[in-house]
Amino acid sequence: MGVAKLKSNSEMDLIDGITYDKHYRMTYHPDFHLNHGLKFSNEDLEYLCMFYGIDKNRTLAFGLGRTESVIRSKYEYLKRKGLIDYYRNRYLRKYEAFDLAETLVPGVVRR
């Protein structure tokens, strides 16, 4: 048994202008990749490191407004530099601080 290959609806893709690479990752499309070419913010890196491997790359790509290949290459770069745990811990500290503020004053969202 082989893995079933995903096939795009070529007629609809031609109308929408969506193209895919040989790994069925969406290539750049201006309607979906709003942050294409921009630097990653610290919040973007925290989100990427926290949810990579939990969410699908396509979901992360849409959430961050970048292509799937950029998401993967950025994660691999951070992994080589040993920064994955650093950004995960930053994300968790912010979440814990938010949770603590909500506990102290219920109903008030602090940022």
Side-chain angles (χ1 to χ4, degrees):
M1 288 193 171
V3 175
K5 290 190 176 188
L6 298 173
K7 294 183 180 178
S8 63
N9 184 347
S10 59
E11 187 175 309
M12 286 304 293
D13 291 343
L14 289 175
I15 292 170
D16 295 335
I18 299 171
T19 56
Y20 299 89
D21 66 9
K22 65 182 181 178
H23 301 290
Y24 200 66
R25 296 178 298 212
M26 184 189 297
T27 57
Y28 170 74
H29 191 285
D31 292 340
F32 299 109
H33 305 114
L34 303 174
N35 294 326
H36 183 73
L38 300 176
K39 280 183 74 172
F40 276 78
S41 67
N42 282 330
E43 289 80 16
D44 291 344
L45 295 173
E46 292 165 7
Y47 182 83
L48 173 64
C49 292
M50 188 66 204
F51 294 106
Y52 192 92
I54 296 172
D55 282 342
K56 294 183 178 187
N57 285 354
R58 183 162 294 178
T59 305
L60 289 173
F62 283 131
L64 294 172
R66 300 170 192 278
T67 62
E68 291 175 68
S69 57
V70 168
I71 295 297
R72 181 179 172 146
S73 63
K74 179 57 88 172
Y75 185 83
E76 292 300 322
Y77 171 80
L78 293 171
K79 188 176 174 181
R80 280 194 313 272
K81 295 291 185 179
L83 295 172
I84 300 296
D85 288 335
Y86 170 76
Y87 284 110
R88 277 187 187 152
N89 290 333
R90 281 181 57 130
Y91 182 91
L92 291 171
R93 281 195 306 269
K94 284 183 183 178
Y95 181 76
E96 288 169 357
F98 175 78
D99 195 32
L100 178 62
E102 183 68 23
T103 303
L104 294 174
V105 184
V108 176
V109 177
R110 297 183 185 191
R111 291 184 184 222

